[in-house]
Coordinates of all heavy atoms in Angstrom, one line a residue:
G1587 N 27.8 -56.7 -74.0 CA 26.5 -57.1 -73.5 C 25.7 -56.0 -72.8 O 24.6 -56.3 -72.3
Q1588 N 26.3 -54.8 -72.7 CA 25.7 -53.8 -71.9 C 25.1 -52.7 -72.9 O 25.8 -52.2 -73.8 CB 26.6 -53.1 -70.9 CG 26.0 -51.9 -70.2 CD 26.6 -51.7 -68.8 OE1 26.0 -52.0 -67.8 NE2 27.9 -51.2 -68.8
V1589 N 23.8 -52.3 -72.6 CA 23.2 -51.3 -73.5 C 23.9 -50.0 -73.4 O 24.2 -49.5 -72.3 CB 21.7 -51.2 -73.1 CG1 21.0 -50.3 -74.2 CG2 21.0 -52.5 -73.0
T1590 N 24.0 -49.3 -74.6 CA 24.5 -48.0 -74.6 C 23.4 -47.0 -74.1 O 22.2 -47.4 -74.0 CB 24.7 -47.5 -76.1 OG1 25.3 -48.6 -76.8 CG2 25.6 -46.3 -76.2
C1591 N 23.8 -45.8 -73.7 CA 22.9 -44.8 -73.1 C 22.1 -44.3 -74.3 O 22.4 -43.3 -74.9 CB 23.7 -43.7 -72.5 SG 22.7 -42.6 -71.7
M1592 N 20.9 -44.9 -74.6 CA 20.2 -44.7 -75.8 C 19.4 -43.4 -75.8 O 19.2 -42.8 -76.9 CB 19.3 -45.9 -76.1 CG 20.1 -47.2 -76.5 SD 21.2 -47.0 -77.8 CE 20.1 -47.0 -79.2
D1593 N 18.9 -42.9 -74.7 CA 18.1 -41.7 -74.7 C 19.0 -40.5 -75.2 O 18.5 -39.8 -76.1 CB 17.7 -41.3 -73.2 CG 16.5 -42.1 -72.8 OD1 15.9 -42.8 -73.7 OD2 16.1 -42.0 -71.6
D1594 N 20.2 -40.4 -74.8 CA 21.1 -39.4 -75.2 C 21.4 -39.5 -76.7 O 21.4 -38.5 -77.5 CB 22.4 -39.3 -74.4 CG 22.2 -39.0 -73.0 OD1 21.1 -38.6 -72.6 OD2 23.1 -39.3 -72.2
I1595 N 21.6 -40.7 -77.2 CA 21.9 -40.9 -78.6 C 20.7 -40.6 -79.4 O 20.8 -40.0 -80.5 CB 22.5 -42.4 -78.8 CG1 23.9 -42.5 -78.2 CG2 22.4 -42.8 -80.2 CD1 24.5 -43.8 -78.2
K1596 N 19.5 -41.0 -79.0 CA 18.3 -40.8 -79.8 C 18.0 -39.3 -79.8 O 17.6 -38.8 -80.9 CB 17.2 -41.6 -79.2 CG 17.2 -43.0 -79.6 CD 16.3 -43.9 -78.9 CE 14.9 -43.8 -79.5 NZ 14.0 -44.9 -78.9
A1597 N 18.3 -38.6 -78.7 CA 18.1 -37.1 -78.7 C 18.9 -36.4 -79.8 O 18.5 -35.6 -80.5 CB 18.3 -36.6 -77.3
I1598 N 20.2 -36.9 -79.9 CA 21.1 -36.3 -80.9 C 20.6 -36.6 -82.3 O 20.6 -35.8 -83.2 CB 22.6 -36.8 -80.6 CG1 23.1 -36.3 -79.3 CG2 23.5 -36.3 -81.8 CD1 24.4 -37.0 -78.8
A1599 N 20.2 -37.9 -82.4 CA 19.7 -38.4 -83.7 C 18.5 -37.5 -84.2 O 18.4 -37.2 -85.4 CB 19.4 -39.8 -83.7
V1600 N 17.6 -37.3 -83.3 CA 16.4 -36.5 -83.6 C 16.8 -35.1 -84.0 O 16.4 -34.5 -85.1 CB 15.4 -36.4 -82.5 CG1 14.3 -35.4 -82.7 CG2 14.8 -37.8 -82.2

Side-chain angles (χ1 to χ4, degrees):
Q1588 178 152 251
V1589 188
T1590 317
C1591 186
M1592 294 303 285
D1593 279 352
D1594 295 347
I1595 287 176
K1596 282 169 78 172
I1598 296 168
V1600 167

